[in-house]
Amino acid sequence: MYRTRRYDSTMPAQTYRGKPCVCQHRLELCDQRCVADMMATTFYMACLKLTERRCLVVGAGAVGLEKIEGLLACDASVHVIATEVDAPVQELADAGDIELTVRPYRRGDLEGHFLAIAATSDTDVNVAVFEEAESRAMLCNVVDVPPLCSFILPAIVRTGPIAIAISTAGASPALAKRMKREIGELFGDQYAELAELLNDARGWAKATLPTYEERKAFFEGIVNGSPDPVDLLRAGDRQAVVELIASRQAAVPVSLP
């Protein structure tokens, strides 16, 4: 059984220096080799569709809550296993938003789940989750220990349908947060509004423009053309953008049968 403690947010190599290695190198004593490995790793960037997929979070403290909320935001079906449960997580369980199992994690708990996140303050538990996930070829993230992750969780800027991910390969969550703030200020609500307006025109484009290159040229002509649709939206003139898209549609030659 483990107890919730204040989470150590330092890099794992600093945390484990001189202690038995917990990463894939399985060294007798940690020599920080894993950090160099992470900096040299090229990640395959992808967006996972988690709608109604069963996802496991091990740990129900403040860190676990953050991961639970991230999964719920993507409409995942969230199962939490923990021996001690912070009040906000219990409230989610009481409301029926998550499934909560109050007991220690044990081997076999990953059965039937799409991915797992280990968010406890007990190293042995986190390693056990990762090792079982590896044996199942299953996606797993151990919070703040990048070498024990088959996927990492970037900082996300979300505005409407737009999501921008920022990753530092686990080197500096603080830097990722700063970049998230600055990118959020640069790409504001106007970009999300434009994305929605352009999405409304996709059906027309597929029915009217037979090739990918024609559709690409049509949309790029709007996004990169003059007047700038983002500037129009910043000025509060949504109707001007609607008319801009309509005028570009009208300019497309109609092929007669």
Side-chain angles (χ1 to χ4, degrees), residues 201-221:
R202 288 186 67 193
W204 171 90
K206 288 183 178 180
T208 309
L209 304 172
T211 69
Y212 167 77
E213 289 301 326
E214 288 176 298
R215 294 190 292 272
K216 176 182 177 184
F218 172 78
F219 285 111
E220 288 188 352

Side-chain angles (χ1 to χ4, degrees), residues 105-172:
Y105 168 84
R106 56 189 180 222
R107 188 167 184 82
D109 281 341
L110 298 190
E111 182 68 30
H113 295 86
F114 179 70
L115 62 78
I117 298 176
T120 82
S121 55
D122 188 311
T123 297
D124 292 338
V125 173
N126 292 341
V127 171
V129 174
F130 174 76
E131 289 182 339
E132 182 179 355
E134 285 288 280
S135 72
R136 293 172 176 264
M138 178 178 169
L139 294 174
C140 181
N141 175 277
V142 177
V143 177
D144 279 343
V145 190
L148 295 186
C149 297
S150 55
F151 73 98
I152 60 175
L153 295 168
I156 304 292
V157 178
R158 294 188 191 275
T159 308
I162 294 177
I164 304 172
I166 306 106
S167 171
T168 60
S172 177

Side-chain angles (χ1 to χ4, degrees), residues 15 17 29 31 43 63 138 248:
T15 303
R17 178 195 284 273
L29 296 176
D31 66 359
F43 287 93
V63 177
M138 178 178 169
R248 297 297 174 89

Side-chain angles (χ1 to χ4, degrees), residues 25-257:
H25 294 298
R26 295 296 188 265
L27 304 175
E28 183 177 355
L29 296 176
C30 174
D31 66 359
Q32 302 191 48
R33 187 183 307 173
C34 57
V35 173
D37 288 353
M38 292 300 295
M39 295 300 96
T41 299
T42 300
F43 287 93
Y44 184 79
M45 305 301 287
C47 297
L48 299 178
K49 182 179 179 181
L50 297 182
T51 305
E52 297 184 359
R53 289 188 180 273
R54 189 168 164 81
C55 300
L56 177 66
V57 177
V58 182
V63 177
L65 175 63
E66 178 186 345
K67 307 309 174 187
I68 292 165
E69 290 178 334
L71 292 170
L72 289 175
C74 298
D75 297 320
S77 174
V78 182
H79 179 203
V80 179
I81 296 177
T83 57
E84 297 188 6
V85 181
D86 280 9
V89 178
Q90 186 64 57
E91 290 171 6
L92 289 172
D94 293 342
D97 294 327
I98 63 172
E99 176 187 350
L100 177 62
T101 302
V102 182
R103 62 161 170 78
Y105 168 84
R106 56 189 180 222
R107 188 167 184 82
D109 281 341
L110 298 190
E111 182 68 30
H113 295 86
F114 179 70
L115 62 78
I117 298 176
T120 82
S121 55
D122 188 311
T123 297
D124 292 338
V125 173
N126 292 341
V127 171
V129 174
F130 174 76
E131 289 182 339
E132 182 179 355
E134 285 288 280
S135 72
R136 293 172 176 264
M138 178 178 169
L139 294 174
C140 181
N141 175 277
V142 177
V143 177
D144 279 343
V145 190
L148 295 186
C149 297
S150 55
F151 73 98
I152 60 175
L153 295 168
I156 304 292
V157 178
R158 294 188 191 275
T159 308
I162 294 177
I164 304 172
I166 306 106
S167 171
T168 60
S172 177
L175 177 58
K177 287 181 180 179
R178 172 179 171 171
M179 295 172 67
K180 174 181 177 179
R181 182 179 67 252
E182 293 178 355
I183 289 172
E185 292 169 354
L186 180 61
F187 298 102
D189 294 340
Q190 297 81 16
Y191 285 85
E193 190 172 4
L194 179 58
E196 292 169 353
L197 289 170
L198 293 173
N199 184 64
D200 290 341
R202 288 186 67 193
W204 171 90
K206 288 183 178 180
T208 309
L209 304 172
T211 69
Y212 167 77
E213 289 301 326
E214 288 176 298
R215 294 190 292 272
K216 176 182 177 184
F218 172 78
F219 285 111
E220 288 188 352
I222 295 172
V223 171
N224 301 319
S226 179
D228 186 336
V230 174
D231 286 345
L232 293 174
L233 291 171
R234 283 184 177 137
D237 198 347
R238 177 188 176 93
Q239 184 58 34
V241 179
V242 172
E243 293 172 359
L244 172 63
I245 295 172
S247 68
R248 297 297 174 89
Q249 290 173 321
V252 173
V254 177
S255 299
L256 296 177

